[in-house]
C-alpha cells in the first residue's frame, strides 16, 4: 500500500541516519548500514518544513479543546539523557508481541519524538484517551497485538482529519484505492477513511492478511507503508532474507525509518514521564454514543437544536464530507457526546424539520442503488493550494482518472482552471439553488458551498452585511469582544434566547472560526 504520511515525512527528513554496513545479530542491533546516504542538503530547510507541517497537524478543532492536567513532571522542558542500556531494558520490559528492537536508528527516532516532536506527543496522548480504547477493542477482537495501536501515532498522530499531500486520509492514512479494496465507502458525499472505527476495521483486515503472508510483524509494518510488492522485491534483492533489518537497505527510502518510528512511538507513549513529557488531556467529551439517522439531516440542524458547536459535530463525524447525513438513502450513524444522544432522541422530530427547506431542499435522492445510476458529471474550479491529489480526494476519485479526464500531465494545476470530474454522488444529487452556481464540497472535510436563494439574497440586500430574516423590523444589538478560548457556542450560552445561528447571521459569519479581539454583534432577545 503506497501510503504517504505526515509524520513519516517529517521524521524521514529529520532523523540523521549515518552511513554504515548492514549487519544483524541475535539482539537485532545494527552496528552500521553502508552505502545509505539518507539525509543530505535538505537538512538546511528543516525549520520551515517542520513548522509548516506541525501547524497543519495542530490546527484542528480538537486541539483547541485540550486542557493541561496537574503538573507531574519535574522539569517539563528538559529531555534527560539515558544510556543505551536503559532504552534496551525498557523496551524489553514492554509486554509486546511485536519485537521492540533497540539499535542506533531506533535511538535517533526516540530522540526525535522526545525532543523536537515532544509537543506533538503531548497532544497525541490526549487523543489516545479518545481513540485507543476503540482501537484496542478491535485489535483484540481480531487476535492482533494491541501495540499495533501505536502505528496510528506514526501515521497521523491520531489526528482524525489528517490528509497527506498525496491523498492518504484519516488516522490510518489509507489511500483511496486501498480504502475501496477494504470496503470503505468513498465518494463525494462520504469518505469512510475518515471514520475512525471503520478505518480501524480495515486496518485490522490488512494486518491479518499481511501476517498470514509473512509471519513477521516487522514485515507486516513495512508492507503497510510500501505494499507487499516492494517488501517482496527487497527480500529478493537481499538474497531471500526475511528479517527487516537485513532487508533494510533494499526497501524504499521512505519505508526504512517506518519500523524504527513505530518502536520509538511505542516507547515514548509508554515512558513519556521519564522524558518529562506531560500529556495534555482532552477537554471535549470522550464518552460518546451513536444514534441511527433515517432521514436526511444537516449538521446545522443538529447544531441549532442540540446547541452544539458544529466543529464538534464534524470532529465526531468526520466521514460526512458535505455535512449531510444521508439517512434518507440508508440508515446512517451519527456519533455524539452521550448527553447529546439523549437530547437527540427527545427532539428528533424537531431536528428533521428545522430549516429543512433551507438546508436540504437542493438535495435530491438518486433513483437506484447501482453505481452507474449515481455517476454525475460536474465542473470543479481549482482553488488556491489545490492539486490533483487534493481535488481527487475531494470527490472520491483517483488522481489517475482526474488526470485522464482533463489531459493533465502532472499533479499541478493552475488556479481558476475548470476541471471535469465524474463523481459518485453517494446517492444524493445537489442541484444549484439558482442557475449561477452548482454545489460542490470544499477542500478537505467541510461544508457545501451553495448560492443563496432569491429570498436570502433579498434579505441580505435589505440589511447590509447581516442577514435579517425579519426585514423591515429594527434589530437591537450589543457588542461582544472575543476572548481567548471563546467559541460561538460558548458565547451564545451567555445570552439567553441567542443561538449560534443568530450570531452568525448578525455578523455575516461564514464559519465558526473567531479571532481574539474580534467584535461581534449579539442580537438582543
Amino acid at each position: 500500500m503506497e501510503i504517504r504520511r505526515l509524520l513519516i515525512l517529517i521524521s524521514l527528513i529529520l532523523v540523521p541516519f549515518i552511513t554504515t554496513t548492514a549487519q544483524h545479530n541475535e539482539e537485532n542491533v545494527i552496528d552500521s548500514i553502508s552505502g545509505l546516504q539518507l539525509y543530505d542538503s535538505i537538512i538546511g530547510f528543516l525549520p520551515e518544513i517542520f513548522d509548516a507541517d506541525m501547524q497543519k497537524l495542530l490546527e484542528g478543532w480538537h486541539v483547541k479543546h485540550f486542557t493541561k492536567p496537574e503538573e507531574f513532571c519535574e522539569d517539563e522542558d528538559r529531555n534527560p539523557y539515558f544510556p543505551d542500556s536503559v532504552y534496551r531494558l525498557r523496551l524489553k520490559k514492554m509486554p509486546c508481541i511485536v519485537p521492540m528492537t533497540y539499535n542506533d536508528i531506533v535511538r535517533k527516532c526516540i530522540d526525535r519524538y522526545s525532543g523536537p516532536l515532544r509537543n506533538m506527543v503531548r497532544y497525541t496522548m490526549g487523543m489516545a484517551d479518545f481513540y485507543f480504547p476503540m482501537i484496542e477493542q478491535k485489535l483484540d477482537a481480531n487476535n492482533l497485538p494491541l501495540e499495533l495501536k501505536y502505528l496510528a501515532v506514526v501515521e497521523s498522530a491520531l489526528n482524525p482529519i489528517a490528509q497527506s499531500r498525496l491523498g492518504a486520509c484519516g488516522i490510518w492514512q489509507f489511500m483511496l484505492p486501498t480504502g475501496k479494496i477494504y470496503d470503505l465507502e468513498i465518494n463525494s458525499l462520504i469518505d469512510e477513511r475518515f471514520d475512525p472505527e471503520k478505518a480501524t476495521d480495515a486496518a485490522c483486515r490488512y494486518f491479518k492478511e499481511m501476517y498470514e503472508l509473512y509471519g513477521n510483524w516487522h514485515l507486516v509494518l513495512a508492507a503497510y507503508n510500501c505494499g507487499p510488492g516492494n517488501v517482496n522485491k527487497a527480500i529478493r534483492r537481499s538474497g531471500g532474507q526475511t528479517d527487516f533489518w537485513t532487508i533494510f537497505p533494499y526497501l524504499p527510502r521512505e519505508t526504512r525509518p517506518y519500523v524504527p518510528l513505530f518502536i520509538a512511538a511505542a516507547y515514548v507513549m509508554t515512558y513519556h514521564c521519564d522524558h518529562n513529557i506531560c500529556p495534555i488531556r482532552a477537554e471535549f467529551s470522550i464518552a460518546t454514543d451513536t444514534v441511527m439517522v433515517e432521514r436526511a439531516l444537516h449538521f446545522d440542524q443538529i447544531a441549532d437544536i442540540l446547541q452544539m458547536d458544529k466543529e464538534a459535530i464534524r470532529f465526531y463525524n468526520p466521514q460526512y464530507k458535505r455535512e449531510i447525513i444521508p439517512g434518507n438513502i440508508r440508515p446512517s450513524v451519527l456519533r455524539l457526546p452521550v448527553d447529546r444522544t439523549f437530547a437527540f432522541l427527545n427532539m428528533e422530530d424537531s431536528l428533521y424539520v428545522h430549516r429543512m427547506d433551507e438546508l436540504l431542499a437542493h438535495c435530491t435522492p438518486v433513483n437506484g442503488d447501482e453505481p452507474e445510476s449515481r455517476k454525475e458529471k460536474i465542473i470543479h474550479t481549482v482553488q488556491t493550494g489545490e492539486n490533483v491529489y487534493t481535488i481527487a480526494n475531494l470527490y472520491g476519485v483517483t488522481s489517475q482518472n482526474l488526470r485522464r479526464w482533463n489531459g493533465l500531465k502532472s499533479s499541478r494545476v493552475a488556479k481558476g482552471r475548470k476541471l471535469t470530474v465524474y463523481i459518485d454522488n453517494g446517492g444524493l444529487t445537489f442541484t444549484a439553488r439558482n442557475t449561477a452556481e452548482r454545489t460542490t464540497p470544499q477542500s478537505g472535510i467541510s461544508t457545501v458551498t451553495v448560492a443563496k436563494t432569491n429570498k436570502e439574497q433579498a434579505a441580505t440586500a435589505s440589511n447590509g452585511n447581516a442577514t435579517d430574516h425579519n426585514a423591515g423590523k429594527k434589530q437591537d444589538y450589543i457588542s461582544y469582544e472575543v476572548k481567548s478560548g471563546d467559541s460561538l457556542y460558548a458565547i451564545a450560552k451567555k445570552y439567553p434566547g441567542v443561538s449560534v445561528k443568530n450570531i452568525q447571521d448578525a455578523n455575516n459569519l461564514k464559519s465558526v472560526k473567531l479571532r481574539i479581539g474580534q467584535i461581534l454583534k449579539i442580537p438582543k432577545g
Side-chain angles (χ1 to χ4, degrees):
M1 166 169 32
E2 293 184 359
I3 300 175
R4 301 295 188 266
R5 301 161 175 88
L6 174 63
L7 295 182
I8 291 180
L9 288 173
I10 296 174
S11 299
L12 176 63
I13 293 170
L14 290 175
V15 182
F17 290 122
I18 57 175
T19 304
T20 51
T21 305
Q23 292 183 359
H24 178 68
N25 60 25
E26 292 181 356
E27 295 184 348
N28 290 326
V29 176
I30 295 181
D31 296 321
S32 60
I33 298 176
S34 67
L36 300 177
Q37 188 62 42
L38 298 183
Y39 298 91
D40 45 29
S41 60
I42 59 174
I43 295 296
F45 298 99
L46 289 185
E48 292 79 11
I49 296 172
F50 179 79
D51 290 344
D53 285 341
M54 285 298 293
Q55 180 59 36
K56 290 178 183 177
L57 185 68
L58 300 178
E59 66 186 5
W61 172 88
H62 55 289
V63 174
K64 301 172 187 175
H65 290 76
F66 282 100
T67 179
K68 206 166 190 177
E70 180 180 352
E71 298 283 347
F72 56 84
C73 300
E74 293 182 3
D75 182 0
E76 183 182 338
D77 295 327
R78 183 179 61 85
N79 183 23
Y81 172 83
F82 297 104
D84 290 340
S85 58
V86 172
Y87 288 116
R88 187 174 290 108
L89 179 61
R90 288 175 180 171
L91 285 167
K92 283 185 177 180
K93 288 171 59 179
M94 291 173 61
C96 296
I97 295 174
V98 178
M100 293 292 164
T101 306
Y102 181 75
N103 53 47
D104 287 342
I105 298 176
V106 172
R107 170 64 182 258
K108 293 181 186 302
C109 290
I110 291 174
D111 288 344
R112 286 299 163 182
Y113 274 124
S114 60
L117 296 178
R118 62 193 287 115
N119 191 48
M120 183 206 70
V121 172
R122 292 187 183 105
Y123 288 103
T124 302
M125 296 193 71
M127 296 306 296
D129 291 340
F130 189 70
Y131 287 121
F132 271 5
M134 177 272 293
I135 295 174
E136 289 174 347
Q137 183 180 30
K138 291 184 178 294
L139 290 169
D140 186 56
N142 285 277
N143 294 315
L144 292 166
L146 298 187
E147 59 268 25
L148 290 174
K149 65 188 178 185
Y150 296 116
L151 188 63
V153 175
V154 178
E155 294 290 346
S156 64
L158 298 176
N159 180 353
I161 58 172
Q163 185 170 171
S164 78
R165 295 182 183 90
L166 294 182
C169 295
I171 63 172
W172 290 104
Q173 290 288 277
F174 278 104
M175 293 293 283
L176 186 144
T178 309
K180 289 191 172 182
I181 288 172
Y182 287 91
D183 301 322
L184 297 177
E185 183 175 4
I186 305 168
N187 52 54
S188 66
L189 185 64
I190 294 173
D191 192 336
E192 289 183 341
R193 291 176 296 171
F194 289 107
D195 183 325
E197 293 209 21
K198 291 192 175 181
T200 301
D201 287 332
C204 288
R205 286 177 57 189
Y206 192 92
F207 294 145
K208 292 178 74 171
E209 290 178 9
M210 290 301 102
Y211 190 73
E212 288 177 5
L213 179 63
Y214 294 113
N216 179 303
W217 285 113
H218 285 172
L219 296 188
V220 170
L221 296 175
Y224 192 92
N225 176 254
C226 66
N230 282 313
V231 172
N232 293 341
K233 185 187 298 184
I235 290 173
R236 289 195 301 270
R237 293 177 63 192
S238 69
Q241 299 297 315
T242 56
D243 172 72
F244 173 81
W245 303 103
T246 303
I247 70 171
F248 184 96
Y250 307 105
L251 288 167
R253 181 171 177 174
E254 68 272 14
T255 305
R256 293 169 191 161
Y258 197 67
V259 170
L261 284 170
F262 167 80
I263 296 170
Y267 169 87
V268 172
M269 295 286 282
T270 302
Y271 294 105
H272 59 92
C273 285
D274 294 292
H275 290 268
N276 297 318
I277 299 176
C278 297
I280 299 179
R281 301 302 182 187
E283 186 181 56
F284 55 85
S285 177
I286 291 177
T288 64
D289 203 349
T290 58
V291 293
M292 295 305 297
V293 175
E294 299 186 349
R295 294 167 60 182
L297 192 62
H298 196 285
F299 282 8
D300 281 332
Q301 295 173 284
I302 303 167
D304 287 353
I305 298 299
L306 300 188
Q307 288 291 287
M308 284 185 67
D309 186 336
K310 191 166 71 171
E311 293 292 330
I313 302 171
R314 284 197 194 116
F315 169 76
Y316 292 119
N317 303 275
Q319 67 270 31
Y320 297 116
K321 297 166 71 172
R322 292 180 181 263
E323 299 184 349
I324 293 174
I325 304 169
N328 57 329
I329 305 299
R330 62 189 171 279
S332 303
V333 171
L334 170 66
R335 181 169 294 278
L336 296 169
V338 170
D339 64 326
R340 297 293 85 193
T341 60
F342 292 116
F344 180 96
L345 296 174
N346 289 333
M347 296 184 280
E348 191 167 1
D349 291 338
S350 300
L351 273 161
Y352 288 127
V353 299
H354 175 70
R355 298 174 63 195
M356 181 176 63
D357 290 341
E358 173 192 351
L359 296 167
L360 298 170
H362 62 296
C363 305
T364 306
V366 174
N367 292 325
D369 293 327
E370 295 300 319
E372 287 299 320
S373 69
R374 306 197 321 189
K375 282 188 177 178
E376 188 176 342
K377 176 183 176 180
I378 67 165
I379 303 299
H380 175 87
T381 303
V382 179
Q383 305 297 313
T384 301
E386 290 184 331
N387 60 34
V388 164
Y389 300 108
T390 60
I391 297 169
N393 255 344
L394 198 60
Y395 297 105
V397 301
T398 65
S399 58
Q400 293 90 339
N401 279 340
L402 188 61
R403 288 194 186 98
R404 178 169 55 83
W405 295 331
N406 295 277
L408 301 175
K409 302 301 182 184
S410 73
S411 62
R412 295 181 181 179
V413 59
K415 176 185 176 183
R417 176 166 177 174
K418 306 289 186 181
L419 297 181
T420 297
V421 188
Y422 296 92
I423 66 170
D424 173 351
N425 59 32
L428 285 181
T429 181
F430 291 79
T431 56
R433 295 191 180 186
N434 62 23
T435 57
E437 184 178 351
R438 99 166 258 111
T439 62
T440 59
Q442 296 175 352
S443 298
I445 305 174
S446 59
T447 67
V448 178
T449 303
V450 297
K452 292 182 178 179
T453 63
N454 292 335
K455 182 178 179 181
E456 289 172 322
Q457 290 170 341
T460 302
S462 67
N463 193 42
N465 292 328
T467 302
D468 187 351
H469 297 290
N470 297 306
K473 181 188 290 186
K474 183 178 180 181
Q475 177 72 62
D476 292 329
Y477 300 94
I478 60 176
S479 296
Y480 180 88
E481 181 177 350
V482 177
K483 303 174 181 62
S484 177
D486 272 344
S487 67
L488 284 179
Y489 175 59
I491 296 170
K493 286 179 64 178
K494 298 178 182 180
Y495 299 94
V498 176
S499 69
V500 169
K501 181 65 167 55
N502 295 149
I503 301 175
Q504 286 181 302
D505 286 347
N507 295 274
N508 196 27
L509 298 176
K510 304 302 182 185
S511 75
V512 296
K513 292 183 178 180
L514 301 174
R515 66 179 185 278
I516 297 174
Q518 180 179 359
I519 303 298
L520 297 177
K521 293 189 295 185
I522 309 298
K524 289 186 178 179

